[in-house]
Amino acid sequence: YLTIISIQFGVQPLLVKQFIDKQCMTSSVVLCAEMAKVVGCLFIMFSDETGKRCFSNWKMQDCLVAAGIPSVTYLIQNYCVQVAYQNLDGVVFNVLNQSKVLFTALFSFLLNGRTQSSYQCVALLLVTAGGILVSLPGGSVSDGEHQENRPWGLFCAVLASGLSGLGSGITEWALQKHGRNSFLLSLELASMGCIILILTLLLGLSPDAVRMKESGFFLGWEVTTVIPVLTQGLSGIIVGIVTQLAGGVRKVMATICGLILTCLLQQILLGMHLSWSVLAAVPLVAGGIYLHASYPPRTQ
């Protein structure tokens, strides 16, 4: 499982650039990824007695309280992630994506009162420094095709990390206060995201609504487009399973390996040479997320 996380994390940005055409509507990519997540959660839950236990006492009111706001934040986050994938190279995106550790710590403290250890505070500073380095002018590869909207990509990547932190804080509150099963909550988040997305398309509230009516829902799709969509949709489920089986520290080690893998693949397969700031940011962020996972606050 740890190998799967490393590979998925490392190759996902490259898969998106390679197999998702710029003409593809973001709504279609996000909706199909969320539907894959729904199917994956249902499969896991009903592979044993978890599904029956969860749905025997399921109530719509509890679902709305636990998943209502997070479903909106995760939906916008997924939009931002797809935009960032298309406008940033893989290493820069994966480095900035780790700034969600900072936002998660912030919202976890504000919503749940969870404090950080001194080591974790140092870790957050390292992650922040890494994010600043890759955001500097020239902090990327010299590839004009993918850098024309780099500021927009940077903004979307940071916004996605902030929304991820907010969603994680609310999700932590729901899991702790309401004792909600993690797979049930993931299923609810994905299902509500699908409903919101479909309604915005049908009511013309989505920016993709006009394009969908003119060119169809699967504009720009090819058979290979399914690959990054499925890996994106199922990655969260796999991470949840790994965290339960192997623990958070090993999951972080898999993330670090994936970050290094992105660097290697980008250099070898695409011939993109990394700038000094990116090369400096990668070990900073890797060390930061390792410190943050390895030295939690001491229990009183």
Side-chain angles (χ1 to χ4, degrees), residues 230-273:
L230 286 179
T231 55
Q232 180 69 29
L234 299 177
S235 61
I237 300 174
I238 296 174
V239 169
I241 295 174
V242 169
T243 303
Q244 288 182 349
L245 295 177
V249 175
R250 290 188 179 181
K251 187 205 76 173
V252 165
M253 293 303 297
T255 301
I256 294 172
C257 292
L259 189 58
I260 296 172
L261 179 61
T262 306
C263 297
L264 294 175
L265 291 176
Q266 193 160 287
Q267 189 96 7
I268 297 171
L269 298 182
L270 303 180
M272 295 182 178
H273 299 290

mmCIF file of all heavy atoms in Angstrom, residues 230-273:
data_model
loop_
_atom_site.group_PDB
_atom_site.id
_atom_site.type_symbol
_atom_site.label_atom_id
_atom_site.label_comp_id
_atom_site.label_asym_id
_atom_site.label_seq_id
_atom_site.Cartn_x
_atom_site.Cartn_y
_atom_site.Cartn_z
ATOM 1 N N LEU A 230 -9.480 8.196 -12.385
ATOM 2 C CA LEU A 230 -9.641 7.112 -11.410
ATOM 3 C C LEU A 230 -8.585 7.198 -10.306
ATOM 4 O O LEU A 230 -8.901 7.010 -9.124
ATOM 5 C CB LEU A 230 -9.550 5.756 -12.114
ATOM 6 C CG LEU A 230 -10.758 5.339 -12.960
ATOM 7 C CD1 LEU A 230 -10.501 3.989 -13.616
ATOM 8 C CD2 LEU A 230 -12.023 5.280 -12.116
ATOM 9 N N THR A 231 -7.338 7.457 -10.670
ATOM 10 C CA THR A 231 -6.294 7.535 -9.649
ATOM 11 C C THR A 231 -6.549 8.693 -8.695
ATOM 12 O O THR A 231 -6.285 8.592 -7.499
ATOM 13 C CB THR A 231 -4.905 7.695 -10.290
ATOM 14 O OG1 THR A 231 -4.907 8.832 -11.176
ATOM 15 C CG2 THR A 231 -4.528 6.450 -11.078
ATOM 16 N N GLN A 232 -7.077 9.811 -9.217
ATOM 17 C CA GLN A 232 -7.399 10.947 -8.358
ATOM 18 C C GLN A 232 -8.557 10.608 -7.425
ATOM 19 O O GLN A 232 -8.530 10.923 -6.235
ATOM 20 C CB GLN A 232 -7.755 12.165 -9.218
ATOM 21 C CG GLN A 232 -8.102 13.417 -8.422
ATOM 22 C CD GLN A 232 -6.904 13.995 -7.703
ATOM 23 O OE1 GLN A 232 -5.776 13.846 -8.167
ATOM 24 N NE2 GLN A 232 -7.134 14.656 -6.583
ATOM 25 N N GLY A 233 -9.604 9.959 -7.967
ATOM 26 C CA GLY A 233 -10.784 9.654 -7.164
ATOM 27 C C GLY A 233 -10.535 8.631 -6.074
ATOM 28 O O GLY A 233 -11.071 8.736 -4.971
ATOM 29 N N LEU A 234 -9.693 7.637 -6.376
ATOM 30 C CA LEU A 234 -9.479 6.543 -5.433
ATOM 31 C C LEU A 234 -8.302 6.786 -4.492
ATOM 32 O O LEU A 234 -8.128 6.040 -3.519
ATOM 33 C CB LEU A 234 -9.252 5.231 -6.201
ATOM 34 C CG LEU A 234 -10.418 4.769 -7.092
ATOM 35 C CD1 LEU A 234 -10.029 3.509 -7.850
ATOM 36 C CD2 LEU A 234 -11.675 4.530 -6.269
ATOM 37 N N SER A 235 -7.492 7.812 -4.759
ATOM 38 C CA SER A 235 -6.287 8.027 -3.956
ATOM 39 C C SER A 235 -6.617 8.312 -2.491
ATOM 40 O O SER A 235 -5.932 7.825 -1.587
ATOM 41 C CB SER A 235 -5.471 9.191 -4.532
ATOM 42 O OG SER A 235 -6.223 10.406 -4.500
ATOM 43 N N GLY A 236 -7.667 9.108 -2.251
ATOM 44 C CA GLY A 236 -8.032 9.427 -0.874
ATOM 45 C C GLY A 236 -8.421 8.197 -0.075
ATOM 46 O O GLY A 236 -8.110 8.089 1.123
ATOM 47 N N ILE A 237 -9.116 7.260 -0.731
ATOM 48 C CA ILE A 237 -9.520 6.032 -0.058
ATOM 49 C C ILE A 237 -8.292 5.200 0.308
ATOM 50 O O ILE A 237 -8.181 4.671 1.421
ATOM 51 C CB ILE A 237 -10.468 5.214 -0.959
ATOM 52 C CG1 ILE A 237 -11.715 6.036 -1.278
ATOM 53 C CG2 ILE A 237 -10.853 3.898 -0.298
ATOM 54 C CD1 ILE A 237 -12.644 5.367 -2.264
ATOM 55 N N ILE A 238 -7.349 5.115 -0.627
ATOM 56 C CA ILE A 238 -6.138 4.335 -0.385
ATOM 57 C C ILE A 238 -5.325 4.938 0.755
ATOM 58 O O ILE A 238 -4.814 4.229 1.622
ATOM 59 C CB ILE A 238 -5.290 4.261 -1.669
ATOM 60 C CG1 ILE A 238 -6.057 3.511 -2.763
ATOM 61 C CG2 ILE A 238 -3.965 3.575 -1.394
ATOM 62 C CD1 ILE A 238 -5.363 3.519 -4.112
ATOM 63 N N VAL A 239 -5.231 6.279 0.779
ATOM 64 C CA VAL A 239 -4.506 6.953 1.857
ATOM 65 C C VAL A 239 -5.145 6.642 3.206
ATOM 66 O O VAL A 239 -4.450 6.400 4.205
ATOM 67 C CB VAL A 239 -4.463 8.475 1.614
ATOM 68 C CG1 VAL A 239 -3.966 9.204 2.857
ATOM 69 C CG2 VAL A 239 -3.562 8.794 0.433
ATOM 70 N N GLY A 240 -6.482 6.646 3.253
ATOM 71 C CA GLY A 240 -7.178 6.329 4.497
ATOM 72 C C GLY A 240 -6.881 4.921 4.984
ATOM 73 O O GLY A 240 -6.657 4.695 6.183
ATOM 74 N N ILE A 241 -6.861 3.965 4.059
ATOM 75 C CA ILE A 241 -6.567 2.574 4.416
ATOM 76 C C ILE A 241 -5.139 2.447 4.936
ATOM 77 O O ILE A 241 -4.866 1.798 5.957
ATOM 78 C CB ILE A 241 -6.778 1.651 3.204
ATOM 79 C CG1 ILE A 241 -8.259 1.637 2.804
ATOM 80 C CG2 ILE A 241 -6.309 0.231 3.512
ATOM 81 C CD1 ILE A 241 -8.533 0.861 1.535
ATOM 82 N N VAL A 242 -4.193 3.098 4.235
ATOM 83 C CA VAL A 242 -2.783 3.014 4.627
ATOM 84 C C VAL A 242 -2.556 3.636 5.995
ATOM 85 O O VAL A 242 -1.802 3.113 6.824
ATOM 86 C CB VAL A 242 -1.899 3.693 3.562
ATOM 87 C CG1 VAL A 242 -0.472 3.859 4.066
ATOM 88 C CG2 VAL A 242 -1.910 2.877 2.285
ATOM 89 N N THR A 243 -3.203 4.769 6.250
ATOM 90 C CA THR A 243 -3.044 5.434 7.540
ATOM 91 C C THR A 243 -3.509 4.534 8.676
ATOM 92 O O THR A 243 -2.895 4.480 9.746
ATOM 93 C CB THR A 243 -3.828 6.762 7.566
ATOM 94 O OG1 THR A 243 -3.376 7.582 6.479
ATOM 95 C CG2 THR A 243 -3.586 7.507 8.866
ATOM 96 N N GLN A 244 -4.617 3.796 8.441
ATOM 97 C CA GLN A 244 -5.126 2.879 9.462
ATOM 98 C C GLN A 244 -4.188 1.694 9.661
ATOM 99 O O GLN A 244 -3.942 1.266 10.790
ATOM 100 C CB GLN A 244 -6.515 2.373 9.072
ATOM 101 C CG GLN A 244 -7.608 3.429 9.188
ATOM 102 C CD GLN A 244 -8.983 2.876 8.835
ATOM 103 O OE1 GLN A 244 -9.105 1.770 8.312
ATOM 104 N NE2 GLN A 244 -10.009 3.633 9.114
ATOM 105 N N LEU A 245 -3.624 1.160 8.561
ATOM 106 C CA LEU A 245 -2.817 -0.046 8.645
ATOM 107 C C LEU A 245 -1.369 0.246 9.062
ATOM 108 O O LEU A 245 -0.786 -0.478 9.870
ATOM 109 C CB LEU A 245 -2.812 -0.776 7.290
ATOM 110 C CG LEU A 245 -4.158 -1.347 6.818
ATOM 111 C CD1 LEU A 245 -3.997 -1.977 5.441
ATOM 112 C CD2 LEU A 245 -4.681 -2.386 7.814
ATOM 113 N N ALA A 246 -0.785 1.295 8.499
ATOM 114 C CA ALA A 246 0.643 1.540 8.690
ATOM 115 C C ALA A 246 0.957 2.718 9.599
ATOM 116 O O ALA A 246 2.083 2.846 10.061
ATOM 117 C CB ALA A 246 1.316 1.756 7.328
ATOM 118 N N GLY A 247 -0.012 3.581 9.832
ATOM 119 C CA GLY A 247 0.232 4.751 10.679
ATOM 120 C C GLY A 247 0.602 5.977 9.864
ATOM 121 O O GLY A 247 1.009 5.889 8.705
ATOM 122 N N GLY A 248 0.474 7.134 10.505
ATOM 123 C CA GLY A 248 0.688 8.395 9.816
ATOM 124 C C GLY A 248 2.120 8.640 9.402
ATOM 125 O O GLY A 248 2.389 9.221 8.350
ATOM 126 N N VAL A 249 3.102 8.195 10.217
ATOM 127 C CA VAL A 249 4.505 8.455 9.903
ATOM 128 C C VAL A 249 4.920 7.727 8.633
ATOM 129 O O VAL A 249 5.578 8.288 7.753
ATOM 130 C CB VAL A 249 5.414 8.043 11.077
ATOM 131 C CG1 VAL A 249 6.880 8.206 10.699
ATOM 132 C CG2 VAL A 249 5.097 8.873 12.316
ATOM 133 N N ARG A 250 4.516 6.468 8.504
ATOM 134 C CA ARG A 250 4.860 5.717 7.298
ATOM 135 C C ARG A 250 4.158 6.305 6.074
ATOM 136 O O ARG A 250 4.703 6.299 4.963
ATOM 137 C CB ARG A 250 4.482 4.242 7.466
ATOM 138 C CG ARG A 250 5.365 3.513 8.455
ATOM 139 C CD ARG A 250 5.087 2.027 8.448
ATOM 140 N NE ARG A 250 5.956 1.319 9.371
ATOM 141 C CZ ARG A 250 5.939 -0.002 9.550
ATOM 142 N NH1 ARG A 250 5.090 -0.740 8.857
ATOM 143 N NH2 ARG A 250 6.761 -0.564 10.408
ATOM 144 N N LYS A 251 2.954 6.805 6.275
ATOM 145 C CA LYS A 251 2.248 7.457 5.157
ATOM 146 C C LYS A 251 3.029 8.683 4.701
ATOM 147 O O LYS A 251 3.153 8.935 3.498
ATOM 148 C CB LYS A 251 0.841 7.864 5.594
ATOM 149 C CG LYS A 251 -0.015 8.403 4.457
ATOM 150 C CD LYS A 251 -1.101 9.319 4.941
ATOM 151 C CE LYS A 251 -0.544 10.666 5.317
ATOM 152 N NZ LYS A 251 -1.577 11.661 5.639
ATOM 153 N N VAL A 252 3.573 9.429 5.658
ATOM 154 C CA VAL A 252 4.370 10.603 5.320
ATOM 155 C C VAL A 252 5.639 10.186 4.571
ATOM 156 O O VAL A 252 6.054 10.848 3.610
ATOM 157 C CB VAL A 252 4.724 11.398 6.593
ATOM 158 C CG1 VAL A 252 5.835 12.405 6.319
ATOM 159 C CG2 VAL A 252 3.492 12.118 7.116
ATOM 160 N N MET A 253 6.268 9.093 4.981
ATOM 161 C CA MET A 253 7.454 8.608 4.288
ATOM 162 C C MET A 253 7.113 8.256 2.838
ATOM 163 O O MET A 253 7.901 8.519 1.926
ATOM 164 C CB MET A 253 8.033 7.386 5.003
ATOM 165 C CG MET A 253 8.603 7.684 6.383
ATOM 166 S SD MET A 253 9.896 8.954 6.344
ATOM 167 C CE MET A 253 11.126 8.127 5.342
ATOM 168 N N ALA A 254 5.928 7.672 2.634
ATOM 169 C CA ALA A 254 5.486 7.364 1.275
ATOM 170 C C ALA A 254 5.297 8.648 0.472
ATOM 171 O O ALA A 254 5.626 8.707 -0.721
ATOM 172 C CB ALA A 254 4.185 6.562 1.315
ATOM 173 N N THR A 255 4.777 9.693 1.123
ATOM 174 C CA THR A 255 4.602 10.983 0.462
ATOM 175 C C THR A 255 5.950 11.575 0.050
ATOM 176 O O THR A 255 6.095 12.122 -1.048
ATOM 177 C CB THR A 255 3.868 11.967 1.392
ATOM 178 O OG1 THR A 255 2.599 11.416 1.750
ATOM 179 C CG2 THR A 255 3.647 13.299 0.703
ATOM 180 N N ILE A 256 6.947 11.463 0.933
ATOM 181 C CA ILE A 256 8.287 11.975 0.625
ATOM 182 C C ILE A 256 8.880 11.219 -0.570
ATOM 183 O O ILE A 256 9.464 11.823 -1.480
ATOM 184 C CB ILE A 256 9.204 11.848 1.851
ATOM 185 C CG1 ILE A 256 8.714 12.775 2.972
ATOM 186 C CG2 ILE A 256 10.650 12.165 1.488
ATOM 187 C CD1 ILE A 256 9.440 12.592 4.282
ATOM 188 N N CYS A 257 8.706 9.900 -0.573
ATOM 189 C CA CYS A 257 9.195 9.109 -1.705
ATOM 190 C C CYS A 257 8.498 9.530 -3.002
ATOM 191 O O CYS A 257 9.120 9.587 -4.066
ATOM 192 C CB CYS A 257 8.966 7.614 -1.452
ATOM 193 S SG CYS A 257 9.980 6.920 -0.130
ATOM 194 N N GLY A 258 7.207 9.823 -2.899
ATOM 195 C CA GLY A 258 6.469 10.280 -4.075
ATOM 196 C C GLY A 258 6.966 11.615 -4.574
ATOM 197 O O GLY A 258 7.041 11.861 -5.786
ATOM 198 N N LEU A 259 7.336 12.504 -3.649
ATOM 199 C CA LEU A 259 7.876 13.811 -4.020
ATOM 200 C C LEU A 259 9.195 13.657 -4.773
ATOM 201 O O LEU A 259 9.435 14.315 -5.791
ATOM 202 C CB LEU A 259 8.067 14.658 -2.760
ATOM 203 C CG LEU A 259 8.427 16.133 -2.932
ATOM 204 C CD1 LEU A 259 7.379 16.853 -3.751
ATOM 205 C CD2 LEU A 259 8.565 16.787 -1.559
ATOM 206 N N ILE A 260 10.049 12.764 -4.275
ATOM 207 C CA ILE A 260 11.322 12.498 -4.952
ATOM 208 C C ILE A 260 11.075 11.859 -6.318
ATOM 209 O O ILE A 260 11.739 12.185 -7.310
ATOM 210 C CB ILE A 260 12.202 11.590 -4.079
ATOM 211 C CG1 ILE A 260 12.564 12.304 -2.768
ATOM 212 C CG2 ILE A 260 13.470 11.168 -4.822
ATOM 213 C CD1 ILE A 260 13.268 11.423 -1.768
ATOM 214 N N LEU A 261 10.081 10.963 -6.392
ATOM 215 C CA LEU A 261 9.745 10.311 -7.647
ATOM 216 C C LEU A 261 9.303 11.323 -8.696
ATOM 217 O O LEU A 261 9.667 11.213 -9.879
ATOM 218 C CB LEU A 261 8.641 9.270 -7.420
ATOM 219 C CG LEU A 261 8.156 8.506 -8.651
ATOM 220 C CD1 LEU A 261 9.298 7.705 -9.268
ATOM 221 C CD2 LEU A 261 6.990 7.579 -8.280
ATOM 222 N N THR A 262 8.527 12.325 -8.277
ATOM 223 C CA THR A 262 8.104 13.366 -9.212
ATOM 224 C C THR A 262 9.306 14.089 -9.794
ATOM 225 O O THR A 262 9.361 14.370 -10.999
ATOM 226 C CB THR A 262 7.192 14.392 -8.502
ATOM 227 O OG1 THR A 262 6.104 13.714 -7.881
ATOM 228 C CG2 THR A 262 6.626 15.382 -9.507
ATOM 229 N N CYS A 263 10.280 14.411 -8.932
ATOM 230 C CA CYS A 263 11.507 15.082 -9.405
ATOM 231 C C CYS A 263 12.221 14.232 -10.455
ATOM 232 O O CYS A 263 12.631 14.737 -11.507
ATOM 233 C CB CYS A 263 12.450 15.346 -8.236
ATOM 234 S SG CYS A 263 11.810 16.474 -6.982
ATOM 235 N N LEU A 264 12.379 12.946 -10.156
ATOM 236 C CA LEU A 264 13.102 12.058 -11.064
ATOM 237 C C LEU A 264 12.386 11.895 -12.396
ATOM 238 O O LEU A 264 12.993 11.981 -13.466
ATOM 239 C CB LEU A 264 13.303 10.690 -10.401
ATOM 240 C CG LEU A 264 14.214 10.663 -9.165
ATOM 241 C CD1 LEU A 264 14.226 9.276 -8.540
ATOM 242 C CD2 LEU A 264 15.625 11.109 -9.532
ATOM 243 N N LEU A 265 11.063 11.664 -12.332
ATOM 244 C CA LEU A 265 10.299 11.457 -13.561
ATOM 245 C C LEU A 265 10.291 12.713 -14.422
ATOM 246 O O LEU A 265 10.393 12.641 -15.650
ATOM 247 C CB LEU A 265 8.862 11.045 -13.220
ATOM 248 C CG LEU A 265 8.684 9.655 -12.609
ATOM 249 C CD1 LEU A 265 7.229 9.421 -12.231
ATOM 250 C CD2 LEU A 265 9.152 8.572 -13.579
ATOM 251 N N GLN A 266 10.156 13.858 -13.779
ATOM 252 C CA GLN A 266 10.127 15.115 -14.526
ATOM 253 C C GLN A 266 11.465 15.369 -15.214
ATOM 254 O O GLN A 266 11.513 15.871 -16.328
ATOM 255 C CB GLN A 266 9.786 16.266 -13.578
ATOM 256 C CG GLN A 266 9.421 17.557 -14.292
ATOM 257 C CD GLN A 266 8.640 18.477 -13.382
ATOM 258 O OE1 GLN A 266 7.488 18.245 -13.083
ATOM 259 N NE2 GLN A 266 9.287 19.531 -12.935
ATOM 260 N N GLN A 267 12.540 14.996 -14.528
ATOM 261 C CA GLN A 267 13.879 15.199 -15.085
ATOM 262 C C GLN A 267 14.174 14.197 -16.190
ATOM 263 O O GLN A 267 14.685 14.555 -17.259
ATOM 264 C CB GLN A 267 14.908 15.041 -13.962
ATOM 265 C CG GLN A 267 16.321 15.441 -14.340
ATOM 266 C CD GLN A 267 16.635 16.861 -13.925
ATOM 267 O OE1 GLN A 267 15.842 17.483 -13.252
ATOM 268 N NE2 GLN A 267 17.781 17.372 -14.337
ATOM 269 N N ILE A 268 13.838 12.913 -15.962
ATOM 270 C CA ILE A 268 14.223 11.852 -16.897
ATOM 271 C C ILE A 268 13.283 11.774 -18.094
ATOM 272 O O ILE A 268 13.720 11.756 -19.254
ATOM 273 C CB ILE A 268 14.260 10.488 -16.165
ATOM 274 C CG1 ILE A 268 15.340 10.512 -15.075
ATOM 275 C CG2 ILE A 268 14.536 9.360 -17.150
ATOM 276 C CD1 ILE A 268 15.298 9.286 -14.169
ATOM 277 N N LEU A 269 11.977 11.729 -17.821
ATOM 278 C CA LEU A 269 11.006 11.510 -18.896
ATOM 279 C C LEU A 269 10.693 12.775 -19.681
ATOM 280 O O LEU A 269 10.518 12.732 -20.896
ATOM 281 C CB LEU A 269 9.712 10.929 -18.321
ATOM 282 C CG LEU A 269 9.819 9.572 -17.632
ATOM 283 C CD1 LEU A 269 8.454 9.109 -17.149
ATOM 284 C CD2 LEU A 269 10.424 8.540 -18.582
ATOM 285 N N LEU A 270 10.583 13.907 -18.981
ATOM 286 C CA LEU A 270 10.176 15.147 -19.643
ATOM 287 C C LEU A 270 11.339 16.077 -19.940
ATOM 288 O O LEU A 270 11.164 17.073 -20.644
ATOM 289 C CB LEU A 270 9.132 15.880 -18.777
ATOM 290 C CG LEU A 270 7.877 15.083 -18.435
ATOM 291 C CD1 LEU A 270 6.930 15.924 -17.589
ATOM 292 C CD2 LEU A 270 7.178 14.603 -19.704
ATOM 293 N N GLY A 271 12.512 15.779 -19.386
ATOM 294 C CA GLY A 271 13.672 16.624 -19.638
ATOM 295 C C GLY A 271 13.560 18.014 -19.048
ATOM 296 O O GLY A 271 14.198 18.955 -19.529
ATOM 297 N N MET A 272 12.745 18.177 -17.993
ATOM 298 C CA MET A 272 12.574 19.483 -17.349
ATOM 299 C C MET A 272 13.596 19.624 -16.222
ATOM 300 O O MET A 272 13.561 18.875 -15.251
ATOM 301 C CB MET A 272 11.147 19.615 -16.786
ATOM 302 C CG MET A 272 10.055 19.618 -17.825
ATOM 303 S SD MET A 272 8.431 19.825 -17.052
ATOM 304 C CE MET A 272 7.374 19.866 -18.509
ATOM 305 N N HIS A 273 14.470 20.592 -16.340
ATOM 306 C CA HIS A 273 15.506 20.799 -15.324
ATOM 307 C C HIS A 273 14.957 21.691 -14.210
ATOM 308 O O HIS A 273 14.381 22.745 -14.463
ATOM 309 C CB HIS A 273 16.739 21.427 -15.950
ATOM 310 C CG HIS A 273 17.370 20.570 -17.011
ATOM 311 N ND1 HIS A 273 18.024 19.389 -16.719
ATOM 312 C CD2 HIS A 273 17.408 20.697 -18.360
ATOM 313 C CE1 HIS A 273 18.458 18.843 -17.835
ATOM 314 N NE2 HIS A 273 18.096 19.608 -18.844
#
